[in-house]
Amino acid sequence: MLRMEKARAEEIENIVDTVFNKYNIKTADTSGELTVDVSRLATLLGFTVAGTSLNRNADGFIISTSKYKFIAINHDRTVAEKRFLIAYALGCYYLHNGDINLEFRICDCTPHSYDVFEQCYFAACLLMSADIFKKMYSKIVEKYAQITQQSNDMQTDALCVCRVLAKIFNVPYEFALRRMYALELVGTN
């Protein structure tokens, strides 16, 4: 399994914080909505975002040149997957300085390389702010403990908590689980 150095993870978290501040992105609005509008953010960055027909195995692509900024997402994906793929494409953009070799980069979100791993981490940070994610995790663990009258040791029930978090943040389950591990909310064994 790929691992990221703590310093690089913090650097990516800081890039995301800069994006939030620059574009006045809120991770929770006054209604309590926790989802970040990544399509709006992409539009603010000058991207056109569109759903398109792609082969079954392709999730999407990003083109970013001095003339064009375009993100295409396979329209057959779920809303949670589409949100994550747009955030992933924005990770490609930010982590590769705008228009360096990003044409038709496939957003498959399978961390088979360190670049893809970093871009997935960027997407997770963008969609699941560490502070809010930790707070929601704690609330769910506390509520679960009250209901089941068990201790707050959630290792065996991490999958249940993860499903709730994925639903709350409207992201794919796998990425909510990775975020839990990255934030050391659950053990690695």
Side-chain angles (χ1 to χ4, degrees):
M1 183 158 127
L2 292 171
R3 285 232 180 269
M4 186 178 307
E5 293 292 322
K6 192 169 187 94
R8 181 59 175 154
E10 288 173 2
E11 182 181 346
I12 292 172
E13 296 267 0
N14 289 335
I15 293 169
V16 171
D17 287 344
T18 300
V19 172
F20 283 158
N21 292 330
K22 182 176 181 179
Y23 294 98
N24 198 27
I25 302 296
K26 305 288 187 219
T27 54
D29 66 24
T30 54
S31 69
E33 181 66 35
L34 293 175
T35 57
V36 173
D37 187 344
V38 289
S39 293
R40 180 176 160 265
L41 175 58
T43 301
L44 289 171
L45 290 166
F47 282 94
T48 298
V49 179
T52 189
S53 293
L54 296 172
N55 79 43
R56 216 174 122 234
N57 297 322
D59 291 322
F61 60 85
I62 178 173
I63 299 172
S64 177
T65 68
S66 59
K67 288 185 173 184
Y68 305 104
K69 287 185 176 180
F70 185 74
I71 297 171
I73 302 299
N74 191 330
H75 65 76
D76 289 336
R77 301 299 181 250
T78 67
V79 172
E81 290 168 334
K82 289 175 186 175
R83 285 173 34 74
F84 198 87
L85 290 165
I86 293 167
Y88 172 89
L90 294 176
C92 294
Y93 176 75
Y94 272 99
L95 299 177
H96 296 285
N97 300 315
D99 33 292
I100 300 174
N101 298 320
L102 292 180
E103 292 191 26
F104 299 99
R105 183 167 182 124
I106 299 301
C107 303
D108 64 9
C109 284
T110 304
H112 54 274
S113 74
Y114 196 74
D115 279 352
V116 172
F117 185 71
E118 284 188 336
Q119 290 149 196
C120 286
Y121 189 78
F122 179 96
C125 295
L126 188 65
L127 296 173
M128 298 172 277
S129 162
D131 291 341
I132 294 174
F133 193 85
K134 287 177 183 178
K135 286 178 189 172
M136 292 306 300
Y137 175 86
S138 294
K139 285 182 183 181
I140 294 165
V141 168
E142 182 180 316
K143 190 67 166 173
Y144 185 85
Q146 289 172 356
I147 292 169
T148 61
Q149 297 182 4
Q150 293 178 2
S151 71
N152 282 350
D153 177 18
M154 293 299 295
Q155 185 63 36
T156 57
D157 297 309
L159 302 180
C160 176
V161 172
C162 184
R163 289 192 202 309
V164 174
L165 288 167
K167 185 83 168 162
I168 289 170
F169 287 93
N170 198 14
V171 296
Y173 167 82
E174 298 82 10
F175 294 102
L177 185 61
R178 285 186 197 164
R179 191 68 169 144
M180 286 172 57
Y181 280 103
L183 296 173
E184 299 177 347
L185 299 171
V186 291
T188 57
N189 49 355

